[in-house]
Amino acid sequence: MRTELVSEPGDVQRPNEDFASVALPASGQGGVLVALDGVTPPTGPTGCLHSVPWFTARLGGALTELAVSLMDVPPAEVLAMAIARTAKTHGEGCDLSHPRTPQATVVMARWSPERVEYLVLSDSALLVEASDGTVSAVLDDRLARLPRASLATDALIDSRLRNKEGGFFTAAADPSVAGRAVTGVLPRSSVRGLLALTDGASRWVEKFHEGDWPDCLSFVRKNGAQSLVNRVRELERADAEPRTHLGRSKLHDDATVVYAEL
Ligand SMILES: [Zn+2]
């Protein structure tokens, strides 16, 4: 088995708001990978004394620890427990009902000798390579499916669509959101590889169309996770003048790639 993890900030002047981990429990018979993408709030109050990196470190740390120590608890329940634990670490000065309270997208995959379980919430991606080489993308595409007119401004997204029925969901302070995640279980023998990508890295497919999801997994296996991030940065720089692909989104975004060859 081989694992590889790369996480780079979009801007060296700002902290990386992604979180990534790979944990291999002492039994040596399984493991877990986690990738979170902290949601950068629009400027203005968040109701919270804490930063997005503070939040992603705590949620990602709790999720990793609970996933490997409670191998029999399904991923959605583990996520709910991790959200609840993280919510408790905020102080009394934090209003956790605020729509801009720190929050993150979540990808988690866990494997044992018998099975592979996965969970995806919001717009990070998990690619699953089957033993016959076919690659499936596990995506929570609620955000992509919202009508374009709804996406006019970040403020509108925050007030009307974030963590609201009919909108899209991220891991914030409410454990019940875990029930909204895309989840699944596969026989371990049917899975050869796993690749988690935050949207700063999945741009390789989704914005720059360098290839499809299977091409992306092949690229990482052959060239390494760092090469994928490097290629995205090249494409972003080349696109900086005309801004044809990126539209109003950030020139560079935090980019995380976690690869596991089982
Ligand atoms: Zn707080």
Side-chain angles (χ1 to χ4, degrees):
M1 110 153 259
R2 176 166 81 94
T3 63
E4 196 182 359
L5 190 163
V6 169
S7 187
E8 284 197 353
D11 176 348
V12 291
Q13 308 294 326
R14 288 177 49 85
N16 188 344
E17 294 176 338
D18 286 1
F19 171 95
S21 70
V22 175
L24 306 174
S27 66
Q29 303 216 344
V32 62
L33 65 79
V34 171
L36 308 185
D37 179 356
V39 176
T40 309
T43 50
T46 65
C48 183
L49 303 172
H50 300 101
S51 67
V52 174
W54 176 94
F55 174 79
T56 51
R58 271 149 194 82
L59 181 63
L63 189 55
T64 306
E65 189 266 309
L66 292 166
V68 292
S69 59
L70 303 173
M71 291 290 279
D72 294 331
V73 177
E77 277 181 53
V78 168
L79 175 59
M81 293 166 74
I83 291 170
R85 183 193 282 186
T86 304
K88 281 196 193 122
T89 62
H90 287 276
E92 284 182 6
C94 300
D95 171 12
L96 300 186
S97 67
H98 196 289
R100 292 178 188 168
T101 192
Q103 53 202 273
T105 75
V106 180
V107 174
M108 175 188 141
R110 181 173 62 183
W111 57 97
S112 71
E114 293 81 35
R115 58 187 187 266
V116 173
E117 301 160 284
Y118 57 80
L119 177 151
V120 176
L121 182 67
S122 197
D123 60 352
S124 293
L126 177 70
L127 308 187
V128 180
E129 184 185 39
S131 45
D132 67 0
T134 56
V135 173
S136 320
V138 181
L139 305 169
D140 172 5
D141 62 353
R142 285 188 189 92
L143 182 56
R145 281 190 280 116
L146 294 175
R148 299 304 301 169
S150 303
L151 298 174
T153 66
D154 288 344
L156 189 65
I157 289 174
D158 267 12
S159 62
R160 303 232 331 248
L161 298 165
R162 188 182 293 289
N163 291 327
K164 299 271 174 62
E165 201 60 53
F168 65 100
F169 296 86
T170 50
D174 176 7
S176 73
V177 80
R180 309 269 186 176
V182 177
T183 60
V185 185
L186 299 164
R188 162 71 179 263
S189 58
S190 73
V191 179
R192 190 160 82 186
L194 297 163
L195 179 64
L197 305 164
T198 61
D199 66 345
S202 65
R203 287 178 168 196
W204 190 90
V205 174
E206 295 183 303
K207 286 199 194 296
F208 295 114
H209 309 292
E210 286 279 282
D212 57 16
W213 294 117
D215 295 332
C216 184
L217 194 137
S218 301
F219 184 95
V220 170
R221 175 185 295 110
K222 187 170 163 212
N223 303 299
Q226 184 67 55
S227 297
L228 187 77
V229 176
N230 292 348
R231 181 62 185 145
V232 168
R233 297 294 184 236
E234 269 175 27
L235 292 162
E236 287 166 339
R237 281 192 295 273
D239 201 49
E241 270 304 301
R243 297 297 287 270
T244 48
H245 293 89
L246 291 166
R248 65 182 187 82
S249 64
K250 286 176 277 193
L251 175 58
H252 303 294
D253 197 1
D254 300 338
T256 295
V257 180
V258 188
Y259 177 60
E261 218 166 74
L262 302 189

